[in-house]
Amino acid sequence: MNAHDSERLAGILASVGFAPAEEMGQADLILFNTCCVRDNAEKKLFGNVGKLKQKKRQNKKLLVGVCGCMMQQADVAEKLADTFPFVNIIFGTHNMAALPEMLYAAIFLGERTLAVSDQEDLPDETPALRAKPPLSAVNIMQGCDNFCSYCIVPYVRGRERSRSSEEILREVRGLAKAGYQEVMLLGQNVNSYGKGLAENIDFAGLLERVAEETGMKRIRFMTSHPKDASQRMLDVMARHENICRQLHLPVQSGSSRILRLMNRRYTREDYLELIRRVRETLPGMTLSTDIIVGFPGETEEDYQDTLSLVREVRFDAAYTFVYSIRRGTRAAAMEGQIDEKEKQRRIVGLVDLQGQITYESNLAHVGRRELVLVEDESRRDAGHVCGRTDGGKMVNFPGEPSLIGQFMPVEITQAKKTTLYGRRIDGDTQA
Ligand code: SAH
Ligand code: SF4
């Protein structure tokens, strides 16, 4: 979501005459887009902005800005402004549309702006300056109403708002026409799409229309909240070849007691039952999840419940996090905060277990034929390109950059921990 916000910021900058610099040394403006979901980003940001002090001294015309949801917290924005007087522009996620005015004030009036408001100012149809095809992302909604007790998102991103289906369909159609082959539909909780709209539509309905009416070859979406993932949605996925067989279903914990404290509104059993239905409706689905360890009050037994759920489900991938105290959230005030060393022990155990399962899931692909949408040149292997399978697994194989944007049949020959390797099967190149 933040990456797509950066594309929208780039779109605003392009509309007032800025163009992307080849490298940071050549830039007239350096704008940091931040995230506050976990605290390590905050430390990194202060370090990275601090490093620009010298550059500013050498080049008086250089403009520096910091934005994103970390700045949506007024106290953090003020701290940044006090620590680094050379930063010209600071603004939150709700003040993106005012960027041209802030730049004008900085360039022509020498004025500094700090803008953090509660009301969002950016119309959803703001044109984004996107990465080149084939991959694209489209917001279907903003904000979140769930208030999971550990999470800061509802405070910085505000209440849930869905975009109209016509607007979304128009945007996806435009992308398909412009040569994008894949779209990622984005929302903090896509399954509650449609609430509050005048039209009668839910996420399953939207997904079906995107699949049928836009010409987009591949459709993915993120994130599904397990409490709202409906059978209707799974049935729509099963009916449409162009909806990818990939589902990200953050479980957060395998302990029903911790799930209740997290305010997730499902139990371990509800989650396992959902996974059973997913696999029954869509055999071979790639499943990924998010997990937090070290939530306040998490006992060894709760932690073991998480490990046993991971063993039982056998996710293809998991994004694992150490619980991070976010000021103002309910969990920050809870008793039984876990000490850092213990959190580290738990995360290492979880990462090891999931690493082994991911590797085994990758190994199971060796010998299979997959249709890969080529995204880019491989950064690791010269002369290779990389892309994803329908299920979202990354595959590297020998090939020319001219293949980028094409669907290539590939035989998987080798599996590593996070990536598959393959070779091109010549002949059919159709999706
Ligand atoms: N809306 C999505 C998640 C958005 S945040 C959902 O509900 O699934 C992405 C992930 O960051 C979360 O799934 C969670 O695992 C993690 N996360 C959020 N707040 C956190 C915190 N305070 N500490 C550690 N991890 C956190
Ligand atoms: Fe945060 Fe929960 Fe909303 Fe996800 S659903 S953004 S974890 S409050």
Side-chain angles (χ1 to χ4, degrees), residues 30-166:
I30 298 172
L31 184 59
F32 291 89
N33 186 17
T34 65
C35 172
C36 61
V37 170
R38 289 172 296 275
D39 63 355
N40 46 4
E42 199 168 308
K43 289 180 202 130
K44 264 195 222 159
L45 174 77
F46 277 72
N48 285 333
V49 175
K51 279 188 207 148
L52 293 182
K53 193 172 171 182
Q54 192 64 19
K55 270 201 164 42
K56 277 286 275 200
R57 236 185 246 139
Q58 288 158 359
N59 174 7
K60 294 267 179 286
K61 280 193 175 159
L62 174 66
L63 296 174
V64 176
V66 183
C67 62
C69 65
M70 199 190 292
M71 296 303 113
Q72 192 61 39
Q73 308 165 94
D75 54 339
V76 182
E78 276 156 26
K79 182 173 147 201
L80 188 99
D82 290 346
T83 315
F84 303 116
F86 62 82
V87 174
N88 305 87
I89 299 168
I90 298 174
F91 60 103
T93 33
H94 292 170
N95 299 78
M96 280 160 67
L99 179 55
E101 281 105 304
M102 297 187 242
L103 285 167
Y104 183 93
I107 298 169
F108 297 109
L109 311 174
E111 282 174 11
R112 190 179 198 210
T113 310
L114 195 160
V116 179
S117 78
D118 291 340
Q119 291 299 315
E120 189 171 40
D121 67 355
L122 190 63
D124 287 322
E125 53 277 19
T126 306
L129 185 65
R130 296 173 184 274
K132 287 199 189 105
L135 308 187
S136 63
V138 166
N139 283 327
I140 64 167
M141 61 206 297
Q142 297 281 355
C144 182
D145 286 349
N146 282 318
F147 289 92
C148 301
S149 62
Y150 51 81
C151 185
I152 198 162
V153 170
Y155 301 92
V156 289
R157 293 279 182 174
R159 295 291 59 73
E160 197 175 283
R161 302 143 337 256
S162 292
R163 290 175 72 189
S164 79
S165 60
E166 283 313 318

Side-chain angles (χ1 to χ4, degrees), residues 1 35-39 143-144 146 148-153 187-190 222-226 248-253 262 264 266 289-293 295 319-327 329 331 343:
M1 194 160 267
C35 172
C36 61
V37 170
R38 289 172 296 275
D39 63 355
C144 182
N146 282 318
C148 301
S149 62
Y150 51 81
C151 185
I152 198 162
V153 170
Q188 292 297 352
N189 181 12
V190 293
M222 203 163 69
T223 294
S224 270
H225 194 304
H248 184 61
L249 270 178
V251 66
Q252 313 299 0
S253 168
M262 286 177 162
R264 289 292 286 181
Y266 54 84
T289 199
D290 291 348
I291 301 172
I292 299 175
V293 296
F295 184 83
Y319 301 89
T320 51
F321 308 106
V322 163
Y323 168 69
S324 161
I325 299 180
R326 306 286 65 209
R327 253 174 312 125
T329 61
K343 284 186 198 169

Side-chain angles (χ1 to χ4, degrees), residues 189-410:
N189 181 12
V190 293
N191 302 107
S192 60
Y193 172 80
K195 270 192 216 151
L197 285 179
E199 52 182 320
N200 183 16
I201 190 162
D202 63 2
F203 181 62
L206 176 74
L207 191 59
E208 183 133 62
R209 291 194 64 188
V210 174
E212 288 175 359
E213 298 174 29
T214 62
M216 189 53 80
K217 297 254 175 63
R218 272 186 177 178
I219 301 155
R220 302 186 202 273
F221 53 88
M222 203 163 69
T223 294
S224 270
H225 194 304
K227 79 177 162 65
D228 302 315
S230 67
Q231 185 61 41
R232 254 168 58 73
M233 173 188 85
L234 299 176
D235 293 339
V236 168
M237 292 178 83
R239 278 203 294 276
H240 295 281
E241 280 281 307
N242 57 345
I243 306 176
C244 293
R245 298 294 185 259
Q246 178 187 24
L247 199 53
H248 184 61
L249 270 178
V251 66
Q252 313 299 0
S253 168
S255 153
S256 295
R257 192 181 75 82
I258 294 295
L259 287 169
R260 199 174 57 245
L261 290 172
M262 286 177 162
N263 192 30
R264 289 292 286 181
R265 286 174 270 177
Y266 54 84
T267 62
R268 173 191 177 97
E269 290 69 34
D270 296 336
Y271 187 85
L272 290 173
E273 168 58 19
L274 174 60
I275 296 291
R276 196 194 56 72
R277 274 199 288 124
V278 168
R279 289 200 161 132
E280 187 180 272
T281 316
L282 292 140
M285 173 86 98
T286 300
L287 277 174
S288 58
T289 199
D290 291 348
I291 301 172
I292 299 175
V293 296
F295 184 83
E298 185 187 69
T299 61
E300 180 61 26
E301 197 185 337
D302 295 319
Y303 171 61
Q304 290 299 333
D305 284 348
T306 295
L307 297 184
S308 81
L309 181 131
V310 165
R311 271 188 219 105
E312 194 167 334
V313 177
R314 296 187 63 79
F315 296 104
D316 295 279
Y319 301 89
T320 51
F321 308 106
V322 163
Y323 168 69
S324 161
I325 299 180
R326 306 286 65 209
R327 253 174 312 125
T329 61
R330 277 202 288 132
M334 285 181 189
E335 285 176 10
Q337 300 288 336
I338 311 287
D339 81 40
E340 286 305 318
K341 241 174 132 185
E342 180 55 22
K343 284 186 198 169
Q344 283 308 320
R345 185 189 69 82
R346 291 182 191 179
I347 192 92
V348 168
L350 176 61
V351 166
D352 281 353
L353 171 62
Q354 182 57 46
Q356 184 58 32
I357 295 172
T358 300
Y359 179 54
E360 286 164 14
S361 134
N362 284 348
L363 272 181
H365 281 69
V366 174
R368 285 193 205 163
R369 292 178 165 216
E370 298 273 4
L371 199 57
V372 173
L373 174 55
V374 183
E375 292 172 14
D376 209 345
E377 290 177 70
S378 161
R379 287 204 197 121
R380 258 193 253 157
D381 307 281
H384 281 56
V385 287
C386 61
R388 282 173 203 277
T389 64
D390 182 89
K393 292 257 184 192
M394 188 55 100
V395 183
N396 272 3
F397 64 96
E400 303 298 313
S402 61
L403 296 179
I404 293 172
Q406 293 189 42
F407 285 94
M408 298 300 304
V410 170

